[in-house]
Amino acid sequence: MSTLESILKETRSFAPSDDFRHKATVSGMEAYNALCEQADDHYLSFWGDLARELITWKKPFSRVLDDSNAPFFKWFDDGVLNVSYNCLDRHLALDGNKIALIFEADDGEVTRVTYAELHRRVCQFANGLKSLGVGKGERVVIYMPMSIEAIVAMQACARIGAIHSVVFGGFSAGAVKDRIQDAGACAVITANESVRGGKSVPLKATVDEALANGGCETVTHVVVYQRTNGGAEWTEGRDVWWHKLVEGQAETCEPEWMNAEDPLFILYTSGSTGKPKGIQHSSAGYLLGAANSFRWVFDYKPNDVFWCTADVGWITGHSYICYGPLANGATQIVFEGVPTYPDAGRFWKMIEKHKVTIFYTAPTAIRSLIKLGGDLPKQYDLSSLRLLGTVGEPINPEAWMWYYEVVGGSRCPIVDTWWQTETGSIQISPLPGAVTTKPGSCTLPLPGVMADIVDESGAPVEPGRGGFLVIKKPFPSLVRTIWNDPERFKKTYFPDEFNGQYYLAGDSANRDESGYFWIMGRIDDVLNVSGHRLGTMEIESALVANPLVAEAAVVGKPHDIKGEAVVAFVVLKGARPEGEDAKKIASELKNWVAHEIGKIAQPDDIRFGENLPKTRSGKIMRRLLRSIAKGEEITQDTSTLENPQILGQLQEPVR
Ligand code: WTA
């Protein structure tokens, strides 16, 4: 609550400059309000018109929305299109020589790829996949470094109608295996190694580990892009080098014409159980969301140089690297490396070098760069920038102000964009040529987004009061279902509490007197560590899978840079360890989690107890654990605690 209070005391506000407003696609509040009214009054034709304007259809749709089987909504469902055609082919006639991708490798080497070249590469790779027998509707797991090839792989899947499921390169073999199994993938596309911050990270070896010991028999092929000279273990008949696969393949590939509702991809994300959810997106509705939001929120102009620093392993990399920018024919940067290598000036140097005009990154990156060199941006010429964006977590007003003043030279609007893997595209964000911004607020919903904040009964709450963030009408880019689990989809996102009518985002939020949204955080057991969603239950299951561990509870605690850090309370099968023993086991368990899920899920802090605090009915008291993790004094009623004496143990950090 204290963060909320401080945020709501924020009085600074920044209107777009006249110059920015005049040139903007959505120019001024009147234009914004007119779009909102249009959406309010004619919801279906509002989306229908946009879908006709922004998507090239092979066969036009005759119906905008089919809600007869809510919440399994269908949009534009008798329309036929291909997403890759929309991202590539249709730009060729205009200007095939336009640069699509400016790839900068970890070591600074730059490769430029035109739309014509990208089209050629996607077609050849698509033909390669077909030659392996990958077909429409089949699932392909992509476990790749940030690279031109990662985008080619995604686009090639879209071209042949295969459903990709990208797994972030930082996830471990266990996580890769779970996703391959759940999706029933027929192929995995990977690289021998990735290179980040001057170090190589094995990827193929992780895939090998995931596929070893059975359980992934659906996978018949592993395609390996050779990124480094490092070798790779080889399974004959299964493994094939990328460069061999595309050799001699035709340079064109007729797109597979897809139904609007055919799944484009599955992306796994954490929820409140131990099992990640396969978020399934559609072809047309998703594309429309990505393309339109890119145009509105980033106020895209044909001569812009756009840079989204996300990894393609997350939804941000899907919508604002692979699909949104390409659907608009934009030029964008793709960066292999990390913001701190060779030094903390890397981002600023790249903005200067490539004359980036729109820069989109995460608050975590901003906070860590402030810490490592708050004055560094001043050493670079950042005058090409005209717009800045953030995504993934709330941004604290101090970081916002630094971003605005030091990076943006007090000249560039900031779009603080709220959205989720499930929403597919940005839902709440300033349109930069219209909406006045306030540091820490994602401001107002995009036109057509019926966002609201409600209480347990579904009634709207008054300004200044917290509640559940909901979206009251379905929209084209919304998740269609959870892969293999429609019941979970319904229960999680369209719960009975709201009569199954509202999309429940899983965030709590607050609105101020001017209707601006302020996101407070998750309402479920999901943490947001460095802008990455992690389920506490997932980390708990990983911990209890360790032979030493009897029980574990994971909570978050505020962290200056990461936003949130993971704290694990652990009960061992043996005696509670102390001193050197405790240190050794804590570090063993941290490595274990990194190996089971990935480094991003590693606890910062592990505490040992003889037991966990539970109510008499056996429920773990998580609220109490959160207070302990924060080092707060315990003011809560602990009289119902089965075992109050263990609080002291859990308050003791392992040193
Ligand atoms: C959080 C990332 C505050 C939120 C695109 C949401 C944000 C979760 C913002 C989704 C923002 C995202 N301000 N919080 N601008 N953007 N979030 O699925 O809790 O990785 O529910 O999608 O991140 O994370 P996801």
Side-chain angles (χ1 to χ4, degrees), residues 47-68:
W47 285 116
D49 290 348
L50 283 172
R52 276 180 285 265
E53 184 191 343
L54 294 177
I55 293 178
T56 305
W57 297 87
K58 179 76 172 170
K59 176 178 162 278
F61 56 90
S62 63
R63 172 167 61 175
V64 174
L65 172 67
D66 173 4
D67 56 4
S68 58

Side-chain angles (χ1 to χ4, degrees), residues 56 80-87 158-161 255-258:
T56 305
V80 174
L81 79 164
N82 179 279
V83 170
S84 153
Y85 179 92
N86 273 273
C87 291
R159 193 158 195 96
I160 64 173
E256 188 74 40
W257 298 107
M258 306 295 285

Side-chain angles (χ1 to χ4, degrees), residues 330-351:
T331 296
Q332 67 176 319
I333 310 288
V334 176
F335 178 42
E336 179 179 42
V338 296
T340 47
Y341 179 83
D343 57 57
R346 184 69 183 265
F347 275 179
W348 323 129
K349 187 174 174 190
M350 284 178 62
I351 291 171

